[in-house]
Amino acid sequence: MNSNLWMLGGLIAGVAVAATAVIDPSLKPSFSTVANVSRVDYSLSEYDRIVLLVDDEPFFYNGVQLRVDKMAGIWNMTDVEIEPFFQLIANDGFTVVNCQLTWADIQPDTFYNASESTYIRGGRYENYNYVANVSHRIGYEAGDEANQELSYIKFDYSDYSLAQIDAAKVRIYVNSAPDNDVAFSANLYGIANDTWSASDLTWANAPSHDGVNISGTKDTDYWFTDSNPSWDPINQASYYDFDASSFIRNHTSNGIASFIFQPQINNTDLANGATLYGAKGPLPPQLW
């Protein structure tokens, strides 16, 4: 999905039971301590069919489906924005609403907003610092460094244990259509250098890059993390997710994760790139 690194904690598996296991004879069934609101009357004594009773009254229902999964996952609506739709449904006379219950509703993932971020730009902008900007950029144009940009993003999740993490993702919100309406893919790299300060970075002094390319020793100074799949390029304002599981679990033992977000180099004549919200934006990069 287009869908801020997701950290999935918890075990989603069955419990192995030995073949010789027996049921503990001391176990007793539990009984509800709360009176049931609804029940099914199978007796056929008062009604000529099986009837669902709510507060001992027959419940006649008509239903409608509400796609809360799409409202939240695609249209980025919050719970507060979705809630009035349930009242609209009730006002229209529906007594049942069917909506999707996701695993995240039962066991929400942990996420962290970026602790700091900035972007750097080449050419005549090589000594500029953009930490104050709400939006950052990534971009590439062959032969013109002034239209080449990288974004640096850092997360601090040091209050969370690596042992709790089964998987992780970085979520980026691209806040406008790509430059020249040219769809393109981006790469996310994890870097070993996590001591940089966003307020100091420029094209001239930022670590782990040589122009728009990532520099250093692969798998020592930097690790390729993920890129947009071919079927989901950056082509509109939306969330984009990048799998960072291996980098987070194997290379961020201090709970600090440092990334470079890079446009994939292409052979088009047009400059391409996109703007994304940074740490100071309303929808900052997130580590889930």
Side-chain angles (χ1 to χ4, degrees):
M1 63 179 174
N2 283 350
S3 6
N4 283 144
L5 162 57
W6 89 119
M7 295 179 172
L8 296 175
L11 183 66
I12 311 174
V15 178
V17 180
T20 56
V22 297
I23 296 176
D24 186 341
S26 67
L27 293 177
K28 304 294 181 183
S30 61
F31 296 94
S32 175
T33 59
V34 179
N36 292 327
V37 173
S38 64
R39 64 183 179 87
V40 179
D41 180 5
Y42 296 94
S43 68
L44 303 181
S45 59
E46 187 171 355
Y47 306 99
D48 62 356
R49 66 198 67 188
I50 297 172
V51 177
L52 174 65
L53 302 177
V54 177
D55 290 331
D56 285 326
E57 296 291 335
F59 181 63
F60 300 100
Y61 60 89
N62 53 23
V64 67
Q65 184 181 49
L66 184 64
R67 289 296 303 272
V68 295
D69 56 319
K70 181 175 290 188
M71 297 167 80
I74 297 178
W75 299 327
N76 306 316
M77 296 176 66
T78 65
D79 289 346
V80 172
E81 293 170 326
I82 294 172
E83 185 176 349
F85 286 85
F86 287 93
Q87 187 60 56
L88 287 173
I89 288 170
N91 294 344
D92 286 342
F94 292 99
T95 56
V96 171
V97 56
N98 176 46
C99 55
Q100 185 185 53
L101 182 65
T102 66
W103 180 257
D105 296 318
I106 302 168
Q107 180 176 300
D109 299 331
T110 298
F111 70 87
Y112 294 85
N113 289 339
S115 55
E116 57 179 320
S117 69
T118 189
Y119 76 100
I120 58 174
R121 187 173 182 180
R124 61 186 179 275
Y125 305 102
E126 67 173 6
N127 293 311
Y128 283 56
N129 175 267
Y130 297 97
V131 69
N133 290 38
V134 169
S135 291
H136 297 339
R137 281 194 53 81
I138 56 172
Y140 177 76
E141 181 178 5
D144 187 354
E145 281 197 341
N147 287 325
Q148 296 179 12
E149 299 116 339
L150 299 169
S151 285
Y152 282 68
I153 305 167
K154 187 185 296 185
F155 299 95
D156 182 347
Y157 71 97
S158 53
D159 62 341
Y160 205 77
S161 167
L162 280 174
Q164 296 173 272
I165 301 172
D166 296 317
K169 71 182 178 185
V170 171
R171 169 165 285 184
I172 304 289
Y173 189 78
V174 172
N175 56 25
S176 64
D179 298 348
N180 301 303
D181 289 322
V182 176
F184 71 103
S185 292
N187 298 323
L188 187 70
Y189 288 89
I191 60 175
N193 188 323
D194 59 17
T195 61
W196 53 265
S197 171
S199 60
D200 297 331
L201 288 194
T202 67
W203 188 265
N205 67 19
S208 304
H209 85 104
D210 179 11
V212 76
N213 295 303
I214 310 304
S215 65
T217 303
K218 186 178 184 293
D219 296 332
T220 299
D221 299 315
Y222 70 89
W223 294 264
F224 174 72
T225 303
D226 198 12
S227 62
N228 297 88
S230 59
W231 45 264
D232 188 23
I234 295 175
N235 59 5
Q236 62 180 331
S238 186
Y239 283 111
Y240 294 89
D241 289 348
F242 298 84
D243 184 358
S245 303
S246 177
F247 176 68
I248 290 297
R249 296 186 65 181
N250 297 315
H251 307 294
T252 62
S253 58
N254 62 349
I256 305 295
S258 181
F259 295 95
I260 298 177
F261 195 41
Q262 176 211 46
Q264 284 188 5
I265 296 173
N266 58 61
N267 296 317
T268 65
D269 293 331
L270 295 173
N272 63 13
T275 61
L276 55 134
Y277 281 130
K280 297 182 179 180
L283 299 172
Q286 294 181 323
L287 177 67
W288 286 63

